Amino acid sequence: MFLLVAALVGLSFWLACGQTQPAVDSYVAAVYEHRLILNPEPRVPLSRSAALQHMHKNLDVYEEQAALAAQQGAQILVFPEDGLQGINFSRSSINGYLETIPDPQQESWNPL
């Protein structure tokens, strides 16, 4: 399920260079992809809470797989770009999945 691509490439590289041990500043990377739990009707807008429930289903899978990758030595893990929410949304139907980020020019971040 995991493709330890970066680790294998790194291993091949330092073996080809005649090194017997990897560099101290290296890491083991893994790439993960799974069959997404998709929104069955991506063109139909969902409420924020329904969208969050949908994303949590995929996030639960990610948490489980990240723990397995860590047990196998992965130190960094790459997930697919649309792996939490899925694809095929319209401009209006994606809204429930989005987070509004305030404009720092308009908002005060001073806690006082």
Side-chain angles (χ1 to χ4, degrees), residues 22-97:
V24 177
D25 59 349
S26 66
Y27 55 87
V28 177
V31 177
Y32 177 74
E33 189 166 343
H34 74 280
R35 186 176 298 272
L36 297 175
I37 301 168
L38 294 171
N39 176 346
E41 297 183 60
R43 302 250 177 216
V44 176
L46 292 178
S47 67
R48 176 69 175 155
S49 67
L52 288 173
Q53 284 179 328
H54 172 233
M55 288 191 291
H56 274 276
K57 290 176 185 175
N58 284 308
L59 189 56
D60 289 343
V61 174
Y62 278 13
E63 287 180 296
E64 187 178 298
Q65 295 305 315
L68 289 172
Q71 289 174 0
Q72 295 178 37
Q75 297 167 302
I76 185 170
L77 185 55
V78 179
F79 292 101
E81 181 179 1
D82 294 322
L84 293 179
Q85 76 279 357
I87 56 173
N88 297 325
F89 293 96
S90 67
R91 273 188 187 261
S92 61
S93 69
I94 192 73
N95 260 356
Y97 292 87

Coordinates of all heavy atoms in Angstrom, one line a residue, residues 22-97:
P22 N 23.5 6.1 4.8 CA 22.9 7.3 4.3 C 23.4 8.6 5.0 O 23.9 8.5 6.1 CB 21.4 7.1 4.6 CG 21.3 6.1 5.6 CD 22.6 5.2 5.5
A23 N 23.2 9.7 4.4 CA 23.6 11.0 5.0 C 22.8 11.2 6.2 O 21.6 10.8 6.3 CB 23.5 12.1 4.0
V24 N 23.4 12.0 7.2 CA 22.7 12.3 8.4 C 21.5 13.1 8.2 O 20.5 13.0 8.9 CB 23.7 13.0 9.4 CG1 23.0 13.4 10.7 CG2 24.8 12.1 9.7
D25 N 21.5 14.0 7.2 CA 20.4 14.9 6.9 C 19.3 14.3 6.0 O 18.6 15.0 5.3 CB 20.9 16.2 6.4 CG 21.7 16.1 5.1 OD1 22.0 15.0 4.7 OD2 22.0 17.1 4.5
S26 N 19.3 13.0 5.9 CA 18.3 12.4 5.0 C 17.1 11.9 5.8 O 17.1 12.0 7.1 CB 18.9 11.2 4.3 OG 19.2 10.2 5.2
Y27 N 16.0 11.5 5.2 CA 14.8 11.0 5.9 C 14.2 10.0 5.0 O 14.4 9.8 3.8 CB 13.9 12.2 6.2 CG 13.5 13.0 5.0 CD1 12.4 12.6 4.1 CD2 14.2 14.1 4.6 CE1 12.1 13.3 3.0 CE2 13.8 14.8 3.5 CZ 12.8 14.4 2.7 OH 12.4 15.1 1.6
V28 N 13.3 9.2 5.6 CA 12.5 8.2 4.9 C 11.2 8.8 4.6 O 10.4 9.2 5.5 CB 12.4 6.9 5.8 CG1 11.5 5.9 5.1 CG2 13.7 6.3 6.1
A29 N 10.8 8.8 3.3 CA 9.5 9.3 2.9 C 8.6 8.2 2.3 O 9.1 7.2 1.9 CB 9.8 10.4 1.8
A30 N 7.3 8.4 2.4 CA 6.4 7.5 1.9 C 5.3 8.3 1.2 O 5.0 9.4 1.5 CB 5.7 6.7 3.0
V31 N 4.7 7.7 0.2 CA 3.6 8.2 -0.6 C 2.4 7.3 -0.4 O 2.5 6.1 -0.5 CB 3.9 8.4 -2.1 CG1 2.8 8.9 -2.9 CG2 5.2 9.2 -2.3
Y32 N 1.3 8.0 0.0 CA 0.1 7.2 0.2 C -1.1 7.6 -0.7 O -1.3 8.8 -0.8 CB -0.4 7.3 1.7 CG -1.6 6.5 2.0 CD1 -1.7 5.1 2.0 CD2 -2.8 7.2 2.1 CE1 -2.8 4.4 2.2 CE2 -4.0 6.5 2.3 CZ -4.0 5.1 2.4 OH -5.2 4.4 2.6
E33 N -1.8 6.7 -1.2 CA -3.0 7.0 -1.9 C -4.0 5.9 -1.7 O -3.7 4.7 -1.6 CB -2.7 7.2 -3.4 CG -3.9 7.7 -4.2 CD -3.5 8.2 -5.6 OE1 -2.3 8.3 -5.9 OE2 -4.4 8.3 -6.4
H34 N -5.3 6.3 -1.6 CA -6.3 5.3 -1.4 C -7.5 5.6 -2.2 O -7.6 6.7 -2.7 CB -6.7 5.1 0.1 CG -7.5 6.3 0.7 ND1 -7.0 7.5 1.0 CD2 -8.9 6.4 0.9 CE1 -7.9 8.3 1.5 NE2 -9.1 7.6 1.4
R35 N -8.5 4.7 -2.3 CA -9.7 5.0 -3.0 C -10.5 5.9 -2.1 O -10.9 5.5 -1.0 CB -10.5 3.7 -3.2 CG -11.7 3.9 -4.1 CD -12.4 2.6 -4.4 NE -11.6 1.7 -5.2 CZ -11.6 1.7 -6.6 NH1 -12.3 2.6 -7.2 NH2 -10.8 0.9 -7.2
L36 N -10.7 7.1 -2.5 CA -11.4 8.1 -1.7 C -12.8 7.7 -1.4 O -13.5 7.1 -2.1 CB -11.4 9.5 -2.4 CG -10.1 10.1 -2.8 CD1 -10.3 11.4 -3.6 CD2 -9.4 10.5 -1.5
I37 N -13.2 8.2 -0.2 CA -14.6 8.1 0.1 C -15.2 9.4 -0.5 O -15.0 10.5 0.0 CB -14.9 8.0 1.6 CG1 -14.2 6.8 2.2 CG2 -16.3 8.1 2.0 CD1 -14.1 6.8 3.7
L38 N -15.8 9.3 -1.6 CA -16.3 10.4 -2.4 C -17.7 10.9 -1.9 O -18.5 10.1 -1.5 CB -16.3 10.1 -3.9 CG -15.0 9.9 -4.5 CD1 -15.2 9.3 -5.9 CD2 -14.1 11.1 -4.5
N39 N -17.9 12.2 -2.1 CA -19.3 12.7 -2.0 C -20.1 12.1 -3.2 O -19.7 12.3 -4.3 CB -19.2 14.2 -2.1 CG -20.6 14.9 -2.0 OD1 -21.6 14.2 -2.2 ND2 -20.6 16.2 -1.8
P40 N -21.2 11.4 -2.9 CA -21.9 10.8 -4.0 C -22.5 11.8 -5.0 O -22.8 11.5 -6.1 CB -23.0 9.9 -3.4 CG -23.0 10.4 -2.0 CD -21.7 11.1 -1.6
E41 N -22.7 13.0 -4.5 CA -23.3 14.0 -5.4 C -22.5 15.3 -5.2 O -22.9 16.3 -4.6 CB -24.8 14.3 -5.0 CG -25.7 13.1 -5.2 CD -27.1 13.4 -5.0 OE1 -27.7 14.3 -5.6 OE2 -27.7 12.8 -4.1
P42 N -21.3 15.4 -5.9 CA -20.4 16.5 -5.6 C -20.9 17.8 -6.2 O -20.4 18.9 -5.8 CB -19.1 16.1 -6.4 CG -19.5 15.1 -7.4 CD -20.7 14.4 -6.8
R43 N -21.9 17.8 -7.0 CA -22.4 19.1 -7.6 C -23.5 19.6 -6.7 O -24.0 20.7 -7.0 CB -22.9 18.8 -9.0 CG -21.8 18.3 -9.9 CD -21.5 19.4 -10.9 NE -20.4 18.9 -11.7 CZ -19.4 19.7 -12.1 NH1 -19.4 21.0 -11.8 NH2 -18.5 19.3 -12.9
V44 N -23.9 18.9 -5.7 CA -25.0 19.4 -4.8 C -24.3 20.0 -3.5 O -23.5 19.3 -2.9 CB -25.9 18.2 -4.3 CG1 -26.9 18.7 -3.3 CG2 -26.6 17.6 -5.6
P45 N -24.6 21.2 -3.2 CA -23.9 21.9 -2.1 C -24.2 21.2 -0.8 O -25.4 20.8 -0.5 CB -24.5 23.3 -2.1 CG -24.9 23.5 -3.5 CD -25.4 22.2 -4.0
L46 N -23.2 21.0 0.1 CA -23.4 20.5 1.4 C -23.3 21.6 2.5 O -22.5 22.6 2.2 CB -22.4 19.4 1.7 CG -22.4 18.1 1.0 CD1 -21.2 17.2 1.4 CD2 -23.7 17.4 1.2
S47 N -23.9 21.4 3.6 CA -23.6 22.4 4.7 C -22.2 22.2 5.2 O -21.5 21.2 4.9 CB -24.6 22.1 5.9 OG -24.3 20.8 6.4
R48 N -21.7 23.2 5.9 CA -20.3 23.1 6.5 C -20.2 21.8 7.3 O -19.2 21.1 7.2 CB -20.0 24.3 7.3 CG -18.7 24.3 8.0 CD -17.6 24.4 7.0 NE -16.3 24.5 7.7 CZ -15.1 24.2 7.1 NH1 -15.1 23.7 5.9 NH2 -14.0 24.3 7.8
S49 N -21.2 21.5 8.2 CA -21.0 20.3 9.1 C -21.1 19.0 8.3 O -20.3 18.1 8.6 CB -22.1 20.4 10.1 OG -23.4 20.2 9.6
A50 N -21.9 19.0 7.2 CA -21.9 17.7 6.4 C -20.6 17.6 5.6 O -20.1 16.5 5.5 CB -23.1 17.8 5.4
A51 N -20.1 18.7 5.1 CA -18.8 18.6 4.4 C -17.7 18.2 5.4 O -16.8 17.3 5.0 CB -18.4 20.0 3.8
L52 N -17.7 18.7 6.6 CA -16.7 18.3 7.6 C -16.8 16.8 7.9 O -15.8 16.1 8.1 CB -16.8 19.1 8.9 CG -16.3 20.6 8.7 CD1 -16.6 21.4 10.0 CD2 -14.8 20.6 8.4
Q53 N -18.0 16.3 8.1 CA -18.3 14.9 8.3 C -17.7 14.0 7.2 O -17.0 13.0 7.4 CB -19.7 14.6 8.5 CG -20.3 15.0 9.8 CD -21.8 14.7 9.9 OE1 -22.5 14.7 8.9 NE2 -22.3 14.4 11.1
H54 N -17.9 14.5 6.0 CA -17.4 13.8 4.8 C -15.9 13.7 4.8 O -15.2 12.7 4.7 CB -17.9 14.4 3.5 CG -17.3 13.9 2.3 ND1 -16.7 14.6 1.4 CD2 -17.1 12.6 1.9 CE1 -16.2 13.9 0.4 NE2 -16.4 12.6 0.7
M55 N -15.2 14.9 5.1 CA -13.8 14.9 5.1 C -13.2 14.1 6.2 O -12.1 13.5 6.1 CB -13.3 16.4 5.2 CG -13.5 17.2 3.9 SD -12.7 18.8 3.9 CE -13.6 19.7 5.1
H56 N -13.9 14.1 7.4 CA -13.4 13.3 8.5 C -13.3 11.8 8.2 O -12.5 11.1 8.7 CB -14.2 13.5 9.8 CG -13.7 14.7 10.5 ND1 -12.7 14.7 11.4 CD2 -14.1 16.0 10.5 CE1 -12.5 15.9 11.9 NE2 -13.4 16.7 11.4
K57 N -14.2 11.3 7.3 CA -14.1 9.9 6.9 C -12.8 9.6 6.3 O -12.2 8.6 6.5 CB -15.3 9.6 6.0 CG -16.6 9.6 6.7 CD -17.8 9.3 5.7 CE -19.1 9.5 6.3 NZ -20.2 9.3 5.4
N58 N -12.4 10.5 5.3 CA -11.1 10.3 4.7 C -9.9 10.6 5.7 O -8.9 9.9 5.6 CB -11.0 11.2 3.5 CG -11.8 10.6 2.3 OD1 -11.6 9.5 1.9 ND2 -12.6 11.4 1.7
L59 N -10.1 11.5 6.5 CA -9.1 11.9 7.5 C -8.8 10.7 8.5 O -7.7 10.4 8.8 CB -9.4 13.1 8.3 CG -8.4 13.7 9.2 CD1 -7.1 14.0 8.4 CD2 -8.9 15.0 9.8
D60 N -9.9 10.0 8.8 CA -9.7 8.8 9.7 C -8.8 7.8 9.0 O -8.0 7.1 9.7 CB -11.1 8.2 10.0 CG -11.9 9.1 11.0 OD1 -11.3 10.0 11.6 OD2 -13.2 8.8 11.0
V61 N -9.0 7.6 7.7 CA -8.2 6.6 7.0 C -6.7 7.1 7.0 O -5.8 6.3 7.2 CB -8.7 6.5 5.5 CG1 -7.7 5.6 4.7 CG2 -10.1 5.9 5.5
Y62 N -6.5 8.4 6.8 CA -5.2 9.0 6.8 C -4.5 8.8 8.1 O -3.3 8.4 8.2 CB -5.2 10.5 6.5 CG -5.4 10.9 5.0 CD1 -5.7 9.9 4.0 CD2 -5.1 12.2 4.6 CE1 -5.7 10.3 2.7 CE2 -5.2 12.5 3.3 CZ -5.5 11.6 2.4 OH -5.6 12.0 1.0
E63 N -5.2 9.0 9.2 CA -4.6 8.9 10.5 C -4.1 7.4 10.7 O -3.0 7.2 11.2 CB -5.6 9.3 11.6 CG -5.8 10.8 11.7 CD -6.8 11.2 12.8 OE1 -8.0 10.8 12.7 OE2 -6.3 11.8 13.7
E64 N -5.0 6.5 10.3 CA -4.7 5.1 10.5 C -3.4 4.7 9.7 O -2.5 4.1 10.1 CB -5.9 4.3 10.0 CG -5.8 2.8 10.3 CD -7.1 2.1 9.8 OE1 -8.2 2.4 10.4 OE2 -7.0 1.3 8.9
Q65 N -3.4 5.2 8.4 CA -2.3 4.8 7.5 C -1.0 5.6 7.9 O 0.1 5.0 7.7 CB -2.7 5.1 6.1 CG -3.9 4.3 5.6 CD -3.6 2.8 5.7 OE1 -2.5 2.3 5.4 NE2 -4.6 2.0 6.2
A66 N -1.1 6.8 8.4 CA 0.1 7.5 8.9 C 0.7 6.8 10.0 O 2.0 6.7 10.1 CB -0.3 8.9 9.3
A67 N -0.1 6.2 10.9 CA 0.5 5.4 12.0 C 1.2 4.2 11.5 O 2.3 3.9 12.0 CB -0.6 5.1 13.0
L68 N 0.6 3.5 10.5 CA 1.3 2.3 9.9 C 2.5 2.7 9.2 O 3.5 2.0 9.3 CB 0.3 1.6 9.0 CG -0.9 0.9 9.6 CD1 -1.9 0.5 8.5 CD2 -0.4 -0.3 10.4
A69 N 2.5 3.8 8.5 CA 3.8 4.3 7.8 C 4.9 4.6 8.8 O 6.0 4.3 8.6 CB 3.4 5.5 7.0
A70 N 4.5 5.2 9.9 CA 5.5 5.6 11.0 C 6.1 4.3 11.5 O 7.3 4.2 11.8 CB 4.8 6.4 12.1
Q71 N 5.3 3.3 11.7 CA 5.8 2.0 12.2 C 6.7 1.3 11.3 O 7.6 0.6 11.7 CB 4.6 1.0 12.5 CG 3.7 1.4 13.7 CD 2.5 0.5 13.8 OE1 2.3 -0.4 13.0 NE2 1.7 0.7 14.8
Q72 N 6.6 1.7 10.0 CA 7.5 1.1 8.9 C 8.7 2.0 8.7 O 9.5 1.8 7.8 CB 6.7 0.9 7.6 CG 5.6 -0.1 7.7 CD 4.9 -0.3 6.4 OE1 5.4 -0.1 5.4 NE2 3.6 -0.5 6.6
G73 N 8.8 3.1 9.5 CA 10.0 4.0 9.4 C 9.8 5.3 8.7 O 10.8 6.0 8.5
A74 N 8.6 5.5 8.1 CA 8.4 6.8 7.4 C 8.5 8.0 8.3 O 7.9 8.0 9.4 CB 7.1 6.8 6.7
Q75 N 9.2 9.0 7.9 CA 9.3 10.2 8.7 C 8.6 11.4 8.1 O 8.3 12.4 8.7 CB 10.8 10.6 8.8 CG 11.6 9.5 9.6 CD 13.1 9.7 9.4 OE1 13.6 9.7 8.3 NE2 13.8 9.9 10.6
I76 N 8.3 11.2 6.8 CA 7.4 12.2 6.1 C 6.5 11.4 5.2 O 6.9 10.4 4.6 CB 8.3 13.2 5.3 CG1 7.4 14.3 4.7 CG2 9.2 12.6 4.3 CD1 8.2 15.5 4.1
L77 N 5.3 11.9 5.1 CA 4.3 11.2 4.3 C 3.5 12.1 3.4 O 3.1 13.2 3.9 CB 3.3 10.5 5.3 CG 2.2 9.6 4.8 CD1 2.8 8.5 4.0 CD2 1.4 9.0 6.0
V78 N 3.4 11.8 2.2 CA 2.7 12.6 1.2 C 1.4 12.0 0.8 O 1.3 10.8 0.5 CB 3.6 12.7 -0.1 CG1 2.9 13.6 -1.2 CG2 5.0 13.3 0.2
F79 N 0.4 12.8 0.9 CA -1.0 12.4 0.5 C -1.4 13.1 -0.8 O -0.9 14.2 -1.1 CB -2.0 12.8 1.7 CG -1.8 12.1 2.9 CD1 -1.1 12.7 4.0 CD2 -2.2 10.8 3.1 CE1 -0.9 12.0 5.2 CE2 -2.0 10.1 4.3 CZ -1.4 10.7 5.3
P80 N -2.4 12.6 -1.5 CA -2.9 13.2 -2.7 C -3.5 14.6 -2.4 O -4.1 14.8 -1.4 CB -4.0 12.2 -3.2 CG -4.1 11.2 -2.2 CD -3.1 11.3 -1.2
E81 N -3.5 15.4 -3.4 CA -3.9 16.8 -3.3 C -5.4 16.9 -2.9 O -5.7 17.7 -2.0 CB -3.7 17.5 -4.6 CG -4.1 19.0 -4.7 CD -3.8 19.6 -6.0 OE1 -3.3 19.0 -6.9 OE2 -4.1 20.8 -6.1
D82 N -6.3 16.2 -3.5 CA -7.7 16.3 -3.2 C -8.2 15.1 -2.4 O -9.3 14.7 -2.5 CB -8.5 16.3 -4.5 CG -8.2 17.6 -5.3 OD1 -8.1 18.6 -4.7 OD2 -8.2 17.5 -6.5
G83 N -7.3 14.5 -1.6 CA -7.6 13.3 -0.9 C -8.6 13.4 0.3 O -9.0 12.4 0.7
L84 N -8.8 14.6 0.8 CA -9.8 14.7 1.9 C -11.2 14.9 1.3 O -12.2 14.3 1.8 CB -9.4 15.8 2.8 CG -8.2 15.6 3.6 CD1 -7.9 16.8 4.5 CD2 -8.3 14.3 4.5
Q85 N -11.4 15.8 0.4 CA -12.7 16.2 -0.1 C -13.1 15.5 -1.4 O -14.3 15.3 -1.6 CB -12.9 17.7 -0.2 CG -12.2 18.3 -1.5 CD -10.7 18.5 -1.3 OE1 -10.1 18.3 -0.3 NE2 -10.1 19.0 -2.4
G86 N -12.2 15.1 -2.2 CA -12.6 14.5 -3.5 C -12.5 15.5 -4.6 O -11.9 16.6 -4.5
I87 N -13.2 15.2 -5.7 CA -13.2 16.0 -6.9 C -14.6 16.2 -7.5 O -15.6 15.7 -7.0 CB -12.3 15.3 -8.0 CG1 -12.7 13.9 -8.2 CG2 -10.8 15.3 -7.5 CD1 -12.0 13.2 -9.3
N88 N -14.6 16.9 -8.6 CA -15.8 17.1 -9.4 C -16.9 18.0 -8.8 O -18.1 17.9 -9.0 CB -16.5 15.8 -9.8 CG -15.6 14.9 -10.7 OD1 -14.9 15.4 -11.5 ND2 -15.7 13.6 -10.5
F89 N -16.4 19.0 -8.0 CA -17.3 19.9 -7.4 C -17.6 21.1 -8.4 O -16.7 21.4 -9.2 CB -16.7 20.5 -6.1 CG -16.6 19.5 -5.0 CD1 -15.4 18.8 -4.8 CD2 -17.7 19.2 -4.2 CE1 -15.3 17.9 -3.8 CE2 -17.6 18.3 -3.2 CZ -16.4 17.6 -3.0
S90 N -18.7 21.8 -8.2 CA -18.9 23.0 -8.9 C -18.4 24.2 -8.0 O -18.1 23.9 -6.8 CB -20.4 23.2 -9.2 OG -21.1 23.4 -8.0
R91 N -18.4 25.4 -8.5 CA -18.0 26.5 -7.7 C -18.9 26.6 -6.4 O -18.4 27.0 -5.4 CB -18.1 27.8 -8.5 CG -16.9 28.1 -9.2 CD -17.0 29.5 -9.8 NE -15.9 29.8 -10.7 CZ -14.9 30.5 -10.3 NH1 -14.8 31.0 -9.2 NH2 -13.9 30.7 -11.2
S92 N -20.2 26.4 -6.6 CA -21.1 26.6 -5.4 C -21.0 25.4 -4.5 O -21.2 25.5 -3.3 CB -22.5 26.9 -5.9 OG -23.0 25.8 -6.6
S93 N -20.8 24.2 -5.0 CA -20.9 23.0 -4.2 C -19.6 22.8 -3.4 O -19.7 22.0 -2.4 CB -21.2 21.7 -5.0 OG -20.2 21.4 -5.9
I94 N -18.5 23.4 -3.7 CA -17.3 23.2 -2.9 C -17.3 24.1 -1.7 O -16.5 23.9 -0.7 CB -16.1 23.6 -3.8 CG1 -14.8 23.1 -3.2 CG2 -16.0 25.1 -4.1 CD1 -14.5 21.7 -3.1
N95 N -18.2 25.1 -1.6 CA -18.2 26.0 -0.5 C -18.2 25.4 0.9 O -17.5 25.9 1.8 CB -19.4 27.0 -0.6 CG -19.1 28.3 -1.2 OD1 -17.9 28.5 -1.5 ND2 -20.1 29.1 -1.4
G96 N -18.9 24.4 1.2 CA -19.0 23.8 2.5 C -17.6 23.2 2.9 O -17.4 23.1 4.1
Y97 N -16.8 23.0 2.0 CA -15.5 22.4 2.2 C -14.4 23.4 2.5 O -13.3 23.1 2.9 CB -15.0 21.5 1.1 CG -15.9 20.3 0.9 CD1 -17.0 20.3 0.1 CD2 -15.5 19.1 1.5 CE1 -17.8 19.2 0.0 CE2 -16.3 17.9 1.3 CZ -17.4 18.0 0.6 OH -18.2 16.9 0.4

